[in-house]
Amino acid sequence: MRIGHFRKTSLHVHPLFPAICLTYLLGGQGKVLLIYLLTLFCHECGHILMACRFRLSVRRLELTPFGGSMQIDESETLPARQSLALSAGGVCVNALLLPPLIALFIRTGSLSCLLCVTINLWMLVLNLLPVLPLDGGRMLLAVLAKRLDRAAAFRTLLMLGRAFCALLLFDALLRALRGESAMLRLTLACYLLYASALEERTSVSRYLAAYLSNRHRVERSGALPVQHLCASGDITISALLSHLHGSAYHLVEVLDPLDTSRRLGVLDEEALLSALMEQPLATLSSLAHK
């Protein structure tokens, strides 16, 4: 649910977040909640600083039970190195906070310091899991996209994430049958399933928003680089998206899949965007013949 906005960023809170906060407060765990919120704030600041470093705008920021979720339109079309740095920003902040927190705990023996270390370490480890949409999954996607088709890597990581959620649910069921507490595992699995479904549903819209923003880039800078691509006519518009770069204007030469020396036509960015909105599963050859 939307709670407001800050500059161009729309601020949201996941429906479970207030409920969990209230549960901690009613259970006398206000200190734990405060330290978690401060740790989460530092984690998200790491991502925001990297976004500012690459001059990216955060369109949406949502607080969830297991961290924050940021929507950056250009994130789908960033170069692999920038995408990796953007995803790693939060966990890097957590990693940098750990040594001074551990040193402070060793020096003072304070239970509050130990709690800070525990929560910070928990957030670091959780976000390093190679599961979309966690930071670890995004970092792995950035690495795989350099060697594989990005769309195929994205689908593979989504499937791995859902398999991980199935294991969590199975473990939670076994613990519940033994009379042990399984609420944390159950909540995490349900959240990751929800988040992966949202990630899959919004990936195309983020691509679309990135390319539509090219017009504003031209107005702001006066020029935009042109990227020429060759693509087989039997691939779809959705599959082509992983080969495009959000900061360039594209001209795609469509080649006959049976004879790649024969050109079927050229698609400009206007044709690509129109097809993406109307028929994302259409092949390039069908568009080139129009």
Side-chain angles (χ1 to χ4, degrees):
M1 56 186 176
R2 190 171 186 269
I3 60 173
H5 67 276
F6 178 74
R7 294 185 178 178
K8 296 181 180 180
T9 304
S10 177
L11 303 176
H12 296 254
V13 171
H14 189 276
L16 281 178
F17 189 79
I20 289 179
C21 290
L22 183 61
T23 301
Y24 271 90
L25 289 174
L26 293 177
Q29 299 293 317
K31 181 185 291 187
V32 175
L33 177 62
L34 177 61
I35 293 174
Y36 170 73
L37 291 177
L38 289 174
T39 306
L40 177 60
F41 174 77
C42 294
H43 178 92
E44 294 306 318
C45 280
H47 291 301
I48 293 172
L49 287 173
M50 294 309 300
C52 293
R53 167 68 178 81
F54 299 124
R55 298 181 180 179
L56 305 173
S57 56
V58 181
R59 181 199 282 193
R60 174 189 171 100
L61 176 60
E62 181 181 22
L63 292 177
T64 73
F66 293 96
S69 174
M70 294 171 51
Q71 182 176 338
I72 300 173
D73 292 335
E74 300 93 332
S75 63
E76 297 292 335
T77 52
L78 284 175
R81 184 176 297 180
Q82 291 186 10
S83 180
L84 182 62
L86 180 63
S87 301
V91 293
C92 285
V93 169
N94 292 130
L96 289 173
L97 286 174
L98 269 178
L101 287 174
I102 292 173
L104 187 61
F105 168 67
I106 293 173
R107 182 175 181 179
T108 64
S110 169
L111 292 179
S112 295
C113 288
L114 178 60
L115 191 58
C116 289
V117 171
T118 303
I119 292 176
N120 196 71
L121 183 60
W122 176 84
M123 188 171 293
L124 173 63
V125 172
L126 176 66
N127 278 280
L128 282 177
L129 291 175
V131 176
L132 284 175
L134 298 178
D135 294 337
R138 294 188 185 280
M139 287 187 280
L140 183 57
L141 178 61
V143 173
L144 291 177
K146 296 175 65 176
R147 298 170 174 82
L148 305 173
D149 176 78
R150 193 182 193 282
F154 179 78
R155 289 192 298 270
T156 301
L157 286 176
L158 279 180
M159 287 191 295
L160 288 175
R162 286 163 185 167
F164 174 74
C165 290
L167 289 175
L168 270 182
L169 289 172
F170 182 70
D171 181 58
L173 177 61
L174 290 180
R175 288 176 178 272
L177 291 175
R178 293 198 300 262
E180 301 176 11
S181 175
M183 185 56 65
L184 180 61
R185 288 170 174 79
L186 181 62
T187 306
L188 177 59
C190 292
Y191 165 71
L192 288 177
L193 286 172
Y194 156 81
S196 66
L198 185 64
E199 183 82 6
E200 186 175 28
R201 193 163 61 245
T202 59
S203 59
V204 172
S205 65
R206 288 200 299 271
Y207 271 119
L208 181 60
Y211 299 126
L212 288 175
S213 65
N214 279 349
R215 186 176 304 171
H216 301 293
R217 291 193 184 97
V218 172
E219 293 173 355
R220 185 171 63 247
S221 61
L224 196 68
V226 176
Q227 186 174 25
H228 290 267
L229 295 173
C230 291
S232 176
D234 59 351
I235 70 170
T236 64
I237 292 293
S238 296
L240 179 69
L241 290 177
S242 61
H243 301 283
L244 305 182
H245 192 292
S247 60
Y249 185 90
H250 296 87
L251 293 173
V252 180
E253 295 191 22
V254 183
L255 305 179
D256 188 336
L258 301 178
D259 180 9
T260 53
S261 63
R262 176 170 170 260
R263 191 177 72 168
L264 300 179
V266 178
L267 298 175
D268 60 16
E269 193 155 285
E270 183 178 356
L272 294 173
L273 290 173
S274 176
L276 179 61
M277 289 185 287
E278 297 173 4
Q279 42 185 339
L281 297 180
T283 61
L284 298 182
S285 58
S286 67
L287 299 173
H289 285 139
K290 289 185 177 180

